[in-house]
């Protein structure tokens, strides 16, 4: 089985060869935590959660790093006065780090709600100022950057003069870029309009500021991702992901910084997730065309006719390939809900099926399993995988109606494989059972008892509670915010 990944850098599907066999280093650009994430943001993070789960399911040991952008994210016009954090600080009358905390907590809650696994490392930009200053110094020493009026800029022309290729990811031609750019920020400070900030001088009004060899300022957004990915994954790593809109300039700049600093292209496979649209327009806070995840889940919105469980939203997202645009609509959600209910019903029905080793089954389990893995390894094709799951669903209902048979071995294999795809890889959750209040209360009591056992170092008892629940199909998961459970 060979995994193929579409690489935005080469614009081709390539056979995936990790740097270190069996291991994957993956970096995904995280959120800018100055306001609530909208459903569009969730789609991108969910796409990479599915990719992360798939890689692990395929047997890779993954180090997944997703950062938190909590400093220095300018608006598109690049004007220091329009720093998103500074604006929000004024609006909400809060300290910058209160804004950061408030929206980081919100981000984690939202992703938990959609059953996203936490990354292995979640570094923050503010926690890596020293690394960013060091990288800036290195770029100055190597002649790729220059100081100007307390700010430091990356010299794009110098980069190209040395035979490096700014624009290789976004397939932009540097001459055209120069012709089309208006220099709104740092006018007179930059040698060329395409030069981008590695370090910005802080104006007196700018509250988030740090000391540096160039005076008080704050780091550039592009540099933070280079600093954190290099620190935790090395100068060259396997996969870098993010939304399509980050290709240029953000990821283009990351490539330039990496190459200039370390004389090596920083990433082997660039992966870009496509956008979520609503009313056929990209979901975005700035245009007002957006919905918050909670509004969809509670039904408090004017767009959808009813509330939808987060796992239905997850299912809907995964019914589109991560590289396709997905237009969210009431009809799409209703259709996903119907499909999801049928899928879950099949899982239940399968548990009650009696095998029959005498009769020949019309379902070729091995062939079906191969097709599922072919879809998964073909650039993580979730819609095709789901279509194959529904072939199994059709067969399961035929079994239930005594129109089909299955051998004991195939039955066990089908149960295991189907559950693995639905719960581990797609990350779906059984809705009905999760809504069962009594069960939830009982499990909370058991979790509390297990916590007490652990506190008093009675690990025999705490392990017994965990193992016995697992034997009943209830998996306890210890996370940042305590213990949760998953019903399998
Ligand atoms: P931001 O916090 O603005 O940096 O965005 C966080 C992530 O969400 C980035 O990877 C963006 O590419 C992604 N994103 C923003 N808008 C959308 C959208 N409408 N659909 C999918 N992803 C999006
Ligand atoms: Zn980034």
């Amino acid at each position: 089985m060979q995994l193929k990944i579409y690489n935005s850098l080469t614009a081709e599907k390539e056979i995936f060869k990790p740097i270190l066999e069996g291991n994957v280093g993956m970096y995904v650009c995280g959120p800018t935590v100055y306001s609530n994430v909208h459903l569009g943001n969730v789609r991108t993070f969910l796409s990479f959660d599915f990719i992360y789960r798939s890689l692990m399911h395929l047997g890779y040991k993954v180090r997944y790093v997703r950062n938190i952008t909590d400093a220095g994210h300018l608006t598109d016009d690049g004007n220091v006065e329009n720093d998103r954090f500074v604006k929000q600080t004024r609006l909400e009358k809060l300290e910058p780090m209160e804004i950061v905390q408030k929206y980081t907590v919100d981000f984690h809650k939202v992703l938990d709600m959609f059953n996203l696994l936490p990354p292995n490392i979640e570094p923050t930009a503010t926690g890596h100022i020293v690394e960013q200053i060091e990288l800036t110094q290195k770029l100055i020493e190597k002649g790729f950057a220059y100081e100007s009026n307390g700010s430091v800029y990356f010299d794009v022309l110098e980069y190209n003069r040395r035979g490096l290729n700014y624009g290789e990811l976004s397939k932009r031609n540097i001459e055209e870029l120069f012709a089309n750019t208006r220099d709104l920020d740092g006018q007179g400070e930059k040698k060329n309009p395409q030069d981008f900030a590695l370090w910005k001088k802080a104006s007196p009004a700018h509250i988030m500021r740090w000391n540096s060899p160039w005076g008080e300022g704050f780091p550039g957004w592009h540099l933070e991702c280079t600093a954190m990915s290099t620190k935790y994954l090395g100068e060259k790593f396997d996969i870098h992901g993010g939304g399509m809109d980050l290709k240029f300039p953000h990821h283009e700049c990351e490539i330039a910084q990496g190459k200039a600093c370390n004389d090596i292209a920083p990433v082997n496979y660039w992966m870009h997730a496509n956008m979520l649209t609503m009313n056929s327009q990209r979901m975005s806070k700035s245009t007002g065309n957006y919905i918050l995840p909670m509004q969809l889940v509670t039904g408090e919105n004017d767009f959808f006719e009813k509330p939808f469980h987060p796992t239905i939203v997850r299912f809907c997202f995964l019914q589109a390939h991560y590289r396709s645009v997905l237009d969210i609509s009431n009809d799409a959600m209703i259709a996903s809900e119907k499909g999801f209910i049928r899928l879950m019903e099949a899982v239940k029905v399968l548990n009650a099926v009696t095998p029959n080793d005498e009769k020949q089954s019309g379902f070729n389990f091995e062939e079906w399993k191969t097709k599922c893995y072919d879809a998964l390894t073909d650039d993580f094709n979730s819609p095709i995988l789901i279509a194959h799951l529904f072939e199994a669903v059709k067969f399961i209902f035929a079994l239930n109606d005594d129109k089909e048979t299955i051998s004991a071995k195939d039955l066990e294999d089908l149960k295991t494989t189907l559950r693995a795809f639905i719960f581990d890889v797609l990350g779906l959750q059984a809705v009905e059972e999760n809504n069962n209040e009594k069960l939830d209360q009982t499990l909370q009591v058991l979790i509390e008892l297990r916590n007490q056992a652990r506190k008093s170092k009675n690990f025999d008892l705490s392990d017994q509670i965990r193992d016995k629940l697992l034997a009943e199909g209830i998996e306890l998961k210890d996370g940042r915010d305590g213990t949760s459970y998953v019903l399998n």
Side-chain angles (χ1 to χ4, degrees), residues 2 71 82 232 270 419:
Q2 272 184 326
N82 286 340
Y232 299 109
W270 281 93
R419 297 173 88 86

Side-chain angles (χ1 to χ4, degrees), residues 29-94:
C29 294
T32 312
V33 284
Y34 69 97
S35 70
N36 306 96
V37 278
H38 59 67
L39 202 62
N41 302 129
V42 172
R43 183 184 179 206
T44 286
F45 297 122
L46 202 147
S47 294
F48 285 100
D49 178 67
F50 168 63
I51 290 165
Y52 175 44
R53 286 168 176 271
S54 302
L55 287 167
M56 289 195 293
H57 181 75
L58 294 170
Y60 291 103
K61 185 170 183 291
V62 188
R63 179 181 287 175
Y64 175 24
V65 183
R66 189 186 62 213
N67 71 297
I68 296 279
T69 297
D70 59 352
H73 193 135
L74 304 182
T75 46
D76 294 337
D77 62 7
N79 187 337
V80 181
E81 291 312 310
N82 286 340
D83 182 303
R84 292 184 162 122
F85 290 98
V86 176
K87 276 189 137 178
Q88 200 66 20
T89 302
R90 291 200 193 114
L91 206 68
E92 295 197 41
K93 296 195 170 50
L94 291 173

Side-chain angles (χ1 to χ4, degrees), residues 27-30 67 69 221-222 224-226 228 240-242 246 250-251 254 270:
Y27 185 91
V28 172
C29 294
N67 71 297
T69 297
W221 170 41
H222 313 311
E224 75 177 54
C225 283
T226 296
M228 291 183 267
H240 192 314
L246 299 188
H250 187 50
H251 292 159
E254 277 190 55
W270 281 93

